[in-house]
Amino acid sequence: MLEQNITEPVPPHEHPRRVFAISQRVWEAGVVLLFCAIFAASVISFARNSSATFDEVAHLPAGYTYLRWHDYRMNPEHPPLVKKLAALPLLWRQGWPANVDLSKDAAASQPMTDSDEVLRWSWTMELAIADEQWIFGHCFLYGIRPEALRRLQEKDPGINSPLAVPPTAALSRQDFYNNADQLLFWGRLPVLLLGLALAVLVFSWSRELFGFAGGVLSLALFCFDPNFIAHSGLVTTDVGEVLFMFGAIYFLWRICRRLEVTSVVLFLLFFGLAFATKFSAVLLLPIFWLTVLGRMISPEPLLIGAAGRPPSPGDGAIATA
């Protein structure tokens, strides 16, 4: 009988481990997608059935003017980022005032007898009177066509201005320049995307701290929170500011644990986007310096790179941290 000598060890079977790791990642991704889908459905339902809030009357039209005429006079009390994102879908929809030339800065004459003239007047006067942004926004969303206004004035001489609020039963959908409900819904969808990005960040940070179960719990609490469901369906700066401030702090925390190029780039990106969204991002400055100071006085070494190597003496200030 021939004997067979085995001189090399049999390689370990790594294939089942890899399959298990891939299936676990797919499982985790599926759970996250499920919660995000529930969150998105809740926000869309809210956005479809909610009328315009006070801030949206100024924010959405202001974002449209930023994109169309590259003029930032409307709603200057907040930076433009989220308002421009919300107004992006409106550029692909043929709506009024697409044919109104506001770039010439020409004021309408008094008395103003139709929504076109009111729109031009409020656009010009916004440079001197900040409250004109609300009149501009009202005409942008609820501007009445001249023929409809004349018909209403014939029935009720007391309606002597395009800003008058006639009885709802006296108007049809065709009497308005724009479909305000559609404009608001499409303007709210980009804010929903910001809310979904925030949900993913909440899960990621919690998972790093408490494992997959902790990440799912945090994600569930976020996705069923009425505050985030509501604000993710409104054209306001709140969800955008929470997302970018949360992201900046999250990636700063990761930098303090391990210095990586990816974390540094993402921290700088979220840090800048927060300031382009709302002026309250100034709160990031003391948070940043206090965090960095705490890391500098910490006795634990700062790991460098994805491999997590400890610092060498040649790394200078990093080594002393």
Side-chain angles (χ1 to χ4, degrees):
M1 179 180 292
L2 297 177
E3 295 183 1
Q4 183 179 6
N5 294 327
I6 301 177
T7 58
E8 295 182 0
V10 178
H13 296 284
E14 295 291 342
H15 182 67
R17 290 186 183 179
R18 293 176 182 175
V19 172
F20 176 75
I22 293 174
S23 61
Q24 184 177 6
R25 287 195 294 268
V26 172
W27 160 253
E28 293 184 4
V31 172
V32 173
L33 288 176
L34 175 62
F35 278 101
C36 287
I38 295 173
F39 177 75
S42 302
V43 173
I44 290 174
S45 176
F46 171 80
R48 279 191 177 277
N49 297 284
S50 300
S51 59
T53 61
F54 184 79
D55 287 340
E56 286 181 299
V57 175
H59 287 179
L60 185 60
Y64 182 83
T65 63
Y66 300 161
L67 294 173
R68 179 163 177 78
W69 293 289
H70 308 289
D71 191 296
Y72 293 85
R73 71 182 68 190
M74 290 292 169
N75 196 244
E77 53 264 41
H78 297 294
L81 179 60
V82 172
K83 291 176 284 184
K84 294 178 74 171
L85 290 176
L88 274 176
L90 274 59
L91 295 180
W92 288 275
R93 303 183 64 83
Q94 294 298 324
W96 182 79
N99 298 323
V100 178
D101 187 8
L102 299 180
S103 60
K104 294 183 179 179
D105 212 23
S109 58
Q110 293 276 17
M112 294 173 286
T113 57
D114 59 57
S115 295
D116 273 352
E117 294 180 355
V118 175
L119 195 80
R120 293 197 301 272
W121 175 265
S122 59
W123 169 266
T124 304
M125 296 306 296
E126 172 65 18
L127 294 172
I129 306 174
D131 287 344
E132 290 291 329
Q133 62 180 304
W134 308 108
I135 298 177
F136 181 93
H138 176 86
C139 288
F140 180 90
L141 292 173
Y142 308 107
I144 303 175
R145 296 182 182 275
E147 57 272 17
L149 187 61
R150 287 193 295 268
R151 187 181 73 247
L152 293 173
Q153 290 172 343
E154 291 175 358
K155 296 181 179 179
D156 184 1
I159 302 176
N160 55 9
S161 168
L163 293 177
V165 182
T168 305
L171 295 171
S172 65
R173 169 65 195 88
Q174 290 72 27
D175 291 332
F176 295 92
Y177 279 106
N178 289 325
N179 187 331
D181 292 336
Q182 287 189 4
L183 294 183
L184 284 168
F185 176 74
W186 285 102
R188 289 165 172 174
L189 290 184
V191 184
L192 166 60
L193 297 180
L194 298 179
L196 290 172
L198 178 57
V200 173
L201 281 182
V202 167
F203 170 79
S204 299
W205 197 350
S206 182
R207 187 185 186 283
E208 288 192 46
L209 290 172
F210 309 110
F212 176 69
V216 171
L217 176 61
S218 299
L219 180 63
L221 292 175
F222 173 88
C223 290
F224 290 100
D225 189 316
N227 292 297
F228 283 107
I229 291 175
H231 284 282
S232 296
L234 298 175
V235 184
T236 59
T237 58
D238 300 305
V239 169
E241 183 66 354
V242 172
L243 166 65
F244 298 131
M245 290 186 68
F246 184 88
I249 297 172
Y250 168 53
F251 289 109
L252 178 62
W253 172 78
R254 292 189 60 176
I255 291 172
C256 291
R257 297 180 67 210
R258 177 181 287 110
L259 186 60
E260 295 180 274
V261 174
T262 303
S263 297
V264 172
V265 171
L266 290 174
F267 163 72
L268 294 175
L269 177 63
F270 277 85
F271 189 81
L273 292 176
F275 278 90
T277 300
K278 204 167 186 177
F279 292 120
S280 57
V282 70
L283 295 174
L284 284 174
L285 295 176
I287 294 174
F288 170 77
W289 289 115
L290 290 173
T291 304
V292 171
L293 178 62
R295 187 63 188 88
M296 291 176 64
I297 63 178
S298 174
E300 297 181 3
L302 176 61
L303 303 179
I304 301 176
R309 69 173 180 87
S312 61
D315 291 327
I318 296 178
T320 62

